[in-house]
Amino acid sequence: MKNVVIIIILLLAFGLMTRLLGAEDPATVIYPALLDSPGTVTQIAVAPASAPANSIVAANGSPQNLSMNPVQLRSEEGNKDTTVETSVASSTPTVSPAATLAPAPSATASAPTPTTAPAPASFPAPAGSPNAMVNLVNLLVSQHVITKQAGDGLIQQAQTEADTAQAQIASNQEATQRLLAAQSAPASSPTTAPATPPASDDDVNVSYVPDVVKNQIRDEVTQSVVKQTENEDFAKKSDIPDWVKRFHVAGDIRVRSEGDFYPAGNAAGSFTNFNAINTGAGYVVGSSLFPQYDVDQDRYRFRLRARLGSEIDLGGGFSAGLRIATGSDDSPVSENQTLGYANSGQGGDFGKYAIWLDRAYIKYDLGSESDRSVSFTVGRFDNPFFHTSMIWSDDLAFDGAVVQAKYRVADGVTPFFDAGGFPVFNTDLNFSSNDSVKFQSEDKYLFATQLGTNWTINKDFSAKVAGAYYYFSDVEGQVSSPILSDSLPGNTDDSRPSFAQNGNTYIALRNYEDPTNPSHIGETQYFGLATPFHEVAITSQLDYGGFDPFHMWLIGEYVQNLAFNRSAILANGSPNIPGPINNLNDASDPNSFSGGDYGWNVKLNAGKVALKDLWDWNLTLGYRYVQSDATVDGFTDSDFGAVLAGTNLQGYSIGGNLALSPQVWLGLRWMSANAVSGPTYQNNVIQFDINAKF
């Protein structure tokens, strides 16, 4: 655009010079021929105001019509196209060749007579061109107004800009034709864009497309391309077998470095491993050799957890789930495999590790929406209850059947309900295997229900509150009928826990009445839980998201065992070894029993709720206080308290997580625990994790 302005100014200056040199009429200016053949000069005048549009005045004084051929030049200012129109004659005007230059006739002359003269040697006629811009530049060069080098540069720039504009117009026309062809083609058959026919004389060359039209064309082309891409993706997916598309696979791997530290002062030799006794050959009364926990020697471990599972869509509202996982043993609360640990014929010396069936269930959803749903699940599945690790370990799976429902009753208020029955232990079909007359079953169950609500208080605060009742049926130990010989089993041996951690109070189960051994030395004894467990729990969470995606959320839980009875515990147990045998302030006095029935846990979290991007992080700070018989120790967190994890513990934990990618993150946690009652115990645990999910 700047170049065009310069040319116009130069032309005006040239015209003024010409007039000063002798033009007769102020309305006319003498120019060398722009359209005639080389070597000839035609007298051309600027048309007066009365002349028709698109015309010039020839030497004979008559207006000559010119057709307009647009040349589009792109402006560098902004993103819009600027169209500058120049004109060239569609046919050469009929004029007489001139031998000499003569002034143009006055507008008032009645019969102008052309005069010819030889062209001055200093003004050679430029070569003719069908482009008026080129001719104008050549004229300026021939008149020595600008140099030939500058003129060539202007011509080249004008040609480049014109070519660019024409290419853009052709591209827009081609895109429009493809869009129209795609829209007009039948939807059931693939479309092929027709070849663009050569332009005809009747075609209209659109030199300027408004922005609104450009945007419309762009949007329509984009929609067409997106639709075509979706169709192609659908075609690719349709090649995958239907049964494969029904599987939704997921998994995770965690590698952990752990240190377990025991400060000086712990009561070594005072912590019996009842789980080892009950899952082994039992305790021989009077023996000084029996399984005990390490509470004075620090330990370092490298541990691995790997899980792989899939949810399968069965159609009609049905789905199924399967998951396998690692584990040093069949512990229900840990899927950690200690590297190099030799146990049950696996591991050690780079030996292979066992894989366990961790989840296997069938689920039916009777309508599943964000604000209302009902589902039924049977098999082995995730914990269905809102909880903390004080009662239920995060790795724990439930066996049995559960129904879950939720229903939004108001904006931001969605109550939920869970209820189920879960077999905890099932008696062996041949119990007792060495007797011809079998014993009565000692089956154990958990019946549980929970009622709660999700509540969106406002745009920044949300809460979740639930109350639960966990009724354990027959998990407590039962004293046996009289046993006349140590070679005979007890009819209540199966009332002992098949798995336990530490903290619950125990009683002896076998009641020996062997007249040949009144001291009971050498008799084999098993141990069962001293109290029933009927737990009521309240769990709540308050979330503040005013700095979203940064959140702060507080989780708290309280539990109490309603079946706990101190007097009943003191009176319980085998007549051979009466009363409770642990959680005593004085190991020789059962009446020094100091166990309790409640516990509470609180944890403050800050950061990203879900780690999705690089450097996402969160921090946590928690404290718990759990008395000995507040809950069943076999199902609680297996990390807090290390080897004495379970109940009868108090202390704090602090930790954090840092994302390295959407699928990989680091974790660091420090936990410090002390015994609530009984012998002195203190433990510190540090864990460093590398986690990956897929």
Side-chain angles (χ1 to χ4, degrees):
M1 187 66 181
K2 185 184 299 181
N3 294 331
V4 174
V5 173
I6 292 173
I7 291 170
I8 293 173
I9 293 173
L10 292 174
L11 287 174
L12 292 175
F14 179 73
L16 180 60
M17 287 174 56
T18 305
R19 179 173 179 180
L20 294 174
L21 292 174
E24 295 181 358
D25 189 278
T28 62
V29 180
I30 305 301
Y31 293 101
L34 302 179
L35 304 174
D36 288 355
S37 60
T40 63
V41 178
T42 301
Q43 180 176 307
I44 302 175
V46 176
S50 60
N54 300 333
S55 65
I56 63 175
V57 178
N60 60 7
S62 61
Q64 301 295 314
N65 184 53
L66 299 175
S67 64
M68 306 300 293
N69 291 330
V71 177
Q72 186 182 50
L73 302 179
R74 182 178 298 275
S75 171
E76 298 298 332
E77 300 176 1
N79 296 321
K80 297 183 178 180
D81 291 337
T82 302
T83 301
V84 179
E85 294 188 349
T86 63
S87 61
V88 298
S90 60
S91 60
T92 304
T94 305
V95 295
S96 300
T100 60
L101 285 173
S106 172
T108 59
S110 60
T113 302
T115 304
T116 60
S122 60
F123 295 98
S129 170
N131 190 310
M133 179 64 70
V134 175
N135 287 328
L136 289 173
V137 173
N138 287 336
L139 173 62
L140 295 175
V141 173
S142 67
Q143 298 298 323
H144 302 292
V145 176
I146 60 175
T147 65
K148 186 177 186 305
Q149 183 179 3
D152 292 342
L154 289 174
I155 292 173
Q156 183 177 0
Q157 180 180 352
Q159 186 61 44
T160 300
E161 294 176 347
D163 291 344
T164 302
Q166 292 297 333
Q168 181 63 40
I169 294 172
S171 176
N172 291 342
Q173 290 177 338
E174 183 179 354
T176 304
Q177 290 174 353
R178 286 201 306 268
L179 175 61
L180 295 175
Q183 292 178 343
S184 61
S188 60
S189 62
T191 61
T192 303
T196 304
S200 66
D201 295 337
D202 295 331
D203 289 342
V204 178
N205 185 13
V206 180
S207 60
Y208 175 72
V209 181
D211 288 343
V212 64
V213 177
K214 291 180 185 177
N215 294 337
Q216 182 179 359
I217 293 174
R218 180 196 60 205
D219 294 341
E220 292 177 350
V221 171
T222 300
Q223 293 174 6
S224 177
V225 172
V226 170
K227 183 175 182 181
Q228 182 178 358
T229 303
E230 290 176 349
N231 292 336
E232 291 175 355
D233 290 343
F234 178 79
K236 292 178 181 178
K237 291 180 180 179
S238 64
D239 296 336
I240 302 175
D242 181 68
W243 68 270
V244 175
K245 292 186 289 185
R246 293 177 179 270
F247 281 74
H248 306 282
V249 180
D252 63 82
I253 298 173
R254 182 182 69 197
V255 181
R256 168 176 289 175
S257 173
E258 178 177 315
D260 301 326
F261 307 103
Y262 304 96
N266 286 346
S270 300
F271 298 94
T272 302
N273 188 341
F274 291 105
N275 185 61
I277 293 173
N278 287 332
T279 57
Y283 166 66
V284 178
V285 178
S287 172
S288 60
L289 300 176
F290 55 92
Q292 298 185 46
Y293 288 109
D294 168 31
V295 296
D296 59 355
Q297 295 298 318
D298 296 344
R299 300 293 188 217
Y300 302 89
R301 302 185 281 182
F302 290 96
R303 317 190 79 184
L304 172 69
R305 184 187 71 180
R307 303 182 293 191
L308 179 64
S310 177
E311 183 173 308
I312 306 100
D313 181 10
L314 304 177
F318 287 94
S319 61
L322 286 169
R323 191 173 82 180
I324 55 177
T326 54
S328 294
D329 50 39
D330 62 351
S331 165
V333 294
S334 176
E335 294 159 331
N336 290 315
Q337 172 63 61
T338 300
L339 302 181
Y341 176 66
N343 180 47
S344 302
Q346 64 162 335
D349 296 317
F350 302 120
K352 297 180 178 66
Y353 301 111
I355 294 294
W356 305 85
L357 180 63
D358 190 42
R359 301 287 190 274
Y361 62 86
I362 298 173
K363 183 177 182 179
Y364 176 66
D365 285 302
L366 183 63
S368 181
E369 300 178 10
S370 60
D371 60 349
R372 63 187 67 183
S373 65
V374 178
S375 66
F376 303 89
T377 308
V378 293
R380 182 175 178 84
F381 42 82
D382 290 339
N383 188 337
F385 302 106
F386 177 43
H387 68 284
T388 73
S389 61
M390 181 183 68
I391 301 176
W392 306 113
S393 167
D394 292 334
D395 287 338
L396 181 70
F398 275 61
D399 301 336
V402 65
V403 56
Q404 297 174 275
K406 64 179 180 179
Y407 188 87
R408 184 172 63 87
V409 297
D411 289 342
V413 180
T414 305
F416 60 88
F417 172 77
D418 307 308
F422 314 97
V424 175
F425 176 82
N426 187 260
T427 306
D428 186 281
L429 292 175
N430 297 313
F431 177 63
S432 163
S433 59
N434 295 330
D435 285 350
S436 58
V437 178
K438 303 305 176 184
F439 296 146
Q440 182 180 350
S441 292
E442 295 288 347
D443 296 341
K444 305 172 187 179
Y445 291 92
L446 165 65
F447 300 99
T449 184
Q450 184 176 65
L451 179 64
T453 185
N454 288 292
W455 178 25
T456 302
I457 302 172
N458 54 42
K459 68 182 184 64
D460 293 332
F461 285 94
S462 62
K464 186 175 184 178
V465 181
Y469 183 61
Y470 305 116
Y471 181 90
F472 287 91
S473 175
D474 297 326
V475 296
E476 67 275 15
Q478 302 288 337
V479 177
S480 71
S481 299
I483 302 174
L484 301 179
S485 171
D486 183 52
S487 62
L488 300 176
N491 66 333
T492 62
D493 284 354
D494 270 3
S495 68
R496 70 187 189 270
S498 59
F499 174 80
Q501 296 190 94
N502 185 78
N504 288 159
T505 305
Y506 285 87
I507 58 170
L509 298 180
R510 286 185 171 183
N511 176 19
Y512 286 100
E513 293 186 356
D514 184 359
T516 63
N517 186 11
S519 64
H520 307 295
I521 299 298
E523 295 174 342
T524 302
Q525 190 62 257
Y526 287 110
F527 302 93
L529 299 178
T531 177
F533 286 86
H534 305 157
E535 304 168 17
V536 59
I538 299 175
T539 310
S540 61
Q541 175 176 314
L542 179 64
D543 179 274
Y544 176 71
F547 303 104
D548 189 70
F550 178 88
H551 280 244
M552 297 183 66
W553 62 104
L554 182 68
I555 301 175
E557 187 168 54
Y558 176 85
V559 62
Q560 185 167 10
N561 179 13
L562 301 181
F564 180 87
N565 187 309
R566 178 182 172 84
S567 298
I569 292 174
L570 292 174
N572 204 352
S574 168
N576 307 147
I577 309 176
I581 60 174
N582 66 326
N583 294 326
L584 307 174
N585 291 329
D586 182 352
S588 62
D589 182 11
N591 291 319
S592 66
F593 171 65
S594 57
D597 63 350
Y598 74 90
W600 56 271
N601 180 28
V602 62
K603 185 164 61 174
L604 176 64
N605 304 272
K608 288 286 191 70
V609 177
L611 305 179
K612 297 180 179 179
D613 300 310
L614 177 64
W615 309 130
D616 281 356
W617 57 272
N618 57 46
L619 299 173
T620 180
L621 174 64
Y623 188 89
R624 71 178 65 187
Y625 176 91
V626 190
Q627 293 183 337
S628 62
D629 298 293
T631 185
V632 178
D633 66 29
F635 305 135
T636 66
D637 179 18
S638 63
D639 292 322
F640 187 78
V643 295
L644 295 188
T647 61
N648 196 37
L649 292 170
Q650 62 180 333
Y652 65 89
S653 61
I654 183 172
N657 297 288
L658 178 68
L660 302 181
S661 79
Q663 309 298 329
V664 180
W665 69 99
L666 303 177
L668 182 65
R669 184 165 60 158
W670 172 274
M671 294 171 286
S672 180
N674 299 325
V676 173
S677 63
T680 302
Y681 173 74
Q682 183 177 358
N683 165 259
N684 298 311
V685 177
I686 185 169
Q687 297 173 335
F688 175 71
D689 300 337
I690 302 177
N691 304 270
K693 63 180 180 180
F694 52 90

